[in-house]
Amino acid sequence: MGEAIVITSGKGGVGKTTTSANVGTALALQGKKVCLVDTDIGLRNLDVVMGLENRIIYDLVDVLEGRCKVHQALVKDKRFEDMLYLLPAAQTSDKTAVTPEQMKELISNLKQDYDYIIIDCPAGIEHGYRNAVAGADRAIVVTTPEVSAVRDADRIIGLLEKEENVESPKLIINRIRNQMMKNGDMLDVDEIATHLSIDLIGIVADDDEVIRASNHGEPIALNPNSKAAIAYRNIARRILGESIPLQPLEDEAPGVFSKLKKFFGVK
Amino acid sequence: MKKTQNVTIKGTKDGLTLHLDDSCSYEELKEEIDHKLSDSARSREDRLLSVHVQVGNRYLTTEQEEEIKELVRQKKNLVVDSISSNVITKEEAEQIKKENEVVPVARIIRSGQVLQVPGDLLLVGDVNPGGTVIAGGNIYIMGVLRGVAHAGFNGDKEAIVTASVMKPSQIRISDCITRAPDHYQDDDKREMECAYINDSDQITVDRLQMLMHLRPNITRLEGGY
């Protein structure tokens, strides 16, 4: 029985889809069988980031409306030996085409066959959000060091805490610019973590390579020379290592990337 | 067989006190009030006499209270000032309890969330920006207040708001509202402060220690140190 993890943020444009793609890729690199589910119906783009767009035949709505079987709609990523699949969102319907109950059933079916289901959530807190969260067991909230993103993350965390089936959410701080943080022009990691008071599961530096890789349909996590790739791989390891306690916040929070690397280098 | 009196009238310097027996039936009581007051109505006096009604262990509904007031009012120069009873309903008691108890809550009030209590609120946690806490009485926050706090929701102007770190976006007490300065200075710690309504009907923020002088009634401990 696998686990379903929803990646959400409230605010748009903070990197939910990029995070979903890379965390999924990194988990697959760790030898886990992963299924990515795009729930952003009408505005799908996880397939684009993964470079799987032109292999889509059926989509999420086709599955839920019985036009095909789940395995027919799943797009296999050839870069991984049978480890990474994508269930794309429909582009022609809108979010109300799906109900939370349907999603719940679909996700619990997928959990039979996969170790991890990564659910990419649409922005906002309406219908699409409720669909995405319905089947999830765990949640990861993505934010950037901006006041508006942190405010929306706070709202989403409040909503997630009300979900009975979802464990208390974990936090990823994305697009950190070390220099700006040092100058105090950006909220620092410590400040965000105390403000939101949930566990930090990883921080990702702002890296041009991420955008370049996304545009080529290759998740950055595949490139071991990138800082961001290592950050995503570390996040995947932390997801796997749930029985091993996370390092205390002080070790992680200073915002110094090397500290994180060092921690996992030692391990 | 001698009938005991159900209604006794006593004169005090504040007016008359009507003691109503609590073991007879309500109908009997009404009759006797009517009878007694007709006997003793001193129509020559022009001054209005106020009457306190003491009903002992009898519970009167609002309608019954009105009836008795009406009955007394019909006697020329009498008017009911107050009706006091030794008993209240469970509901009333629970309401009073609720309005007077401190409700402890260990939670973070996040953006978009509203926490409301009828009495005093003791919040062990933060109020984040966009979050709101509302209390009928006082609000004590053991954490950072960054959102909105509304104390004395039902109009209690004596209510106060305290916080370990006071950086609210708004504080409301009763119907007074104050908003935060547009920018908090970074070195501005704003620790251990309280907000209250001052003599000129405006909300003021001061050191926590001032409270004992400003609102001595907050202390409910009676007796020694």
Side-chain angles (χ1 to χ4, degrees), chain A residues 135-152:
Chain A
D137 306 308
R138 292 161 73 175
I140 293 179
V141 175
V142 183
T143 188
T144 59
E146 290 164 73
V147 177
S148 54
V150 172
R151 193 68 53 89
D152 289 359

Side-chain angles (χ1 to χ4, degrees), chain B residues 109-110 112-116 127-128 130-134 147-150:
Chain B
I109 308 304
R110 299 184 183 275
Q113 296 181 329
V114 180
L115 174 67
Q116 182 163 7
V127 182
N128 281 353
T132 308
V133 285
I134 301 171
V148 178
H150 191 169

Side-chain angles (χ1 to χ4, degrees), chain A residues 169-185:
Chain A
K170 302 278 186 280
L171 182 69
I172 292 179
I173 304 175
N174 200 6
R175 294 222 192 110
I176 294 171
R177 291 210 224 159
N178 226 339
Q179 203 50 48
M180 282 189 82
M181 227 171 234
K182 269 187 196 151
N183 297 343
D185 298 328

Side-chain angles (χ1 to χ4, degrees), chain A residues 175-218:
Chain A
R175 294 222 192 110
I176 294 171
R177 291 210 224 159
N178 226 339
Q179 203 50 48
M180 282 189 82
M181 227 171 234
K182 269 187 196 151
N183 297 343
D185 298 328
M186 227 176 207
L187 296 171
D188 72 47
V189 171
D190 241 345
E191 215 175 318
I192 298 169
T194 23
H195 182 123
L196 297 176
S197 44
I198 57 171
D199 296 339
L200 194 59
I201 200 174
I203 56 177
V204 183
D206 194 30
D207 188 346
D208 293 347
E209 279 302 316
V210 176
I211 301 171
R212 202 167 296 144
S214 288
N215 288 344
H216 285 109
E218 280 189 3

